[in-house]
Amino acid sequence: MAVLSKTKLKSLVGKHKDFPKKGITFLDLNPILYSSAARTAILNDFVKNIGINSKTVIVAPEARGFIWGIIIAEKLRIPFIPIRKKGKLPGRVISQYYDLEYGSDSLHIQDLGKKFKGYNVVIVDDLLATGGTAAACAQLVTKIGGNVSAFYFVINIEALNGKEILKQYSNTIYTTLRF
């Protein structure tokens, strides 16, 4: 299998103007998902650049964060905790409201008691824009007693400065591709 460069990976990302609303250019990672070599390159980049240990857990928000978070957790054989939108998780949940690039929303995590208290948590998502979603995830992690050790994104839209809001939670903010 050929090793793909970051330039080649960037060329696979689709761009859709005015989606999901006028003025937004949506960066589409689906073409990367279509390629086993591209997925492998992303996973290898993560493993090379994000430290984990026996008390590491991956947390990711729906929907596209699930894709990357679960594959990384499986590859590393560590726990995965989903963060969902309102009404999608059973049992007692903890909530966090946040603003995003084109509106506002809330995220929810199951109340896991002390199950992952003190764990190092890597928050994984497909894309970093304003940082609102990732910051809400970090606040949820803190509420369940986890320590945010790192953030990982496949893509960072640098002009939106999302990294700035996340520095209060962790100094390790890594992205494979920058736009």
Side-chain angles (χ1 to χ4, degrees):
M1 181 182 312
V3 176
L4 298 183
S5 68
K6 289 188 180 186
T7 301
K8 176 62 177 170
L9 288 171
K10 277 181 87 165
S11 76
L12 293 175
V13 176
K15 296 171 189 72
H16 303 275
K17 291 186 183 220
D18 297 324
F19 181 84
K21 73 177 207 174
K22 192 166 181 64
I24 303 292
T25 297
F26 185 84
L27 297 178
D28 181 8
L29 275 79
N30 284 333
I32 288 176
L33 294 174
Y34 304 154
S35 165
S36 176
R39 288 191 317 271
T40 299
I42 298 290
L43 290 172
N44 289 342
D45 190 57
F46 173 91
V47 170
K48 177 181 166 188
N49 290 288
I50 301 293
I52 65 154
N53 61 39
S54 63
K55 289 200 69 156
T56 300
V57 64
I58 300 288
V59 168
E62 67 175 270
R64 295 180 313 263
F66 281 10
I67 296 167
W68 298 102
I70 197 73
I71 342 186
I72 291 167
E74 184 60 26
K75 179 169 179 71
L76 299 173
R77 298 180 186 262
I78 59 177
F80 172 80
I81 302 173
I83 292 181
R84 306 279 327 255
K85 294 185 178 173
K86 187 175 183 175
K88 302 290 184 179
L89 289 172
R92 185 165 182 250
V93 297
I94 299 168
S95 304
Q96 184 64 49
Y97 292 87
Y98 68 104
D99 293 321
L100 58 151
E101 187 179 1
Y102 43 85
S104 63
D105 210 340
S106 65
L107 292 175
H108 308 267
I109 194 168
Q110 284 180 315
D111 184 351
L112 301 169
K114 298 180 190 280
K115 183 171 179 119
F116 292 107
K117 184 175 177 141
Y119 269 65
N120 297 315
V121 176
V122 178
I123 297 171
V124 173
D125 206 354
D126 66 326
L127 185 135
L128 174 60
T130 64
T133 302
C137 290
Q139 291 165 353
L140 286 171
V141 164
T142 301
K143 288 179 180 181
I144 66 166
N147 304 312
V148 178
S149 62
F151 293 92
Y152 171 74
F153 305 93
V154 178
I155 289 177
N156 178 12
I157 303 173
E158 292 182 320
L160 296 176
N161 295 319
K163 273 185 157 182
E164 293 306 312
I165 193 173
L166 302 181
K167 287 180 181 176
Q168 64 186 303
Y169 303 105
S170 175
N171 289 326
T172 304
I173 304 163
Y174 183 79
T175 55
T176 297
L177 305 174
R178 292 163 187 80
F179 283 83

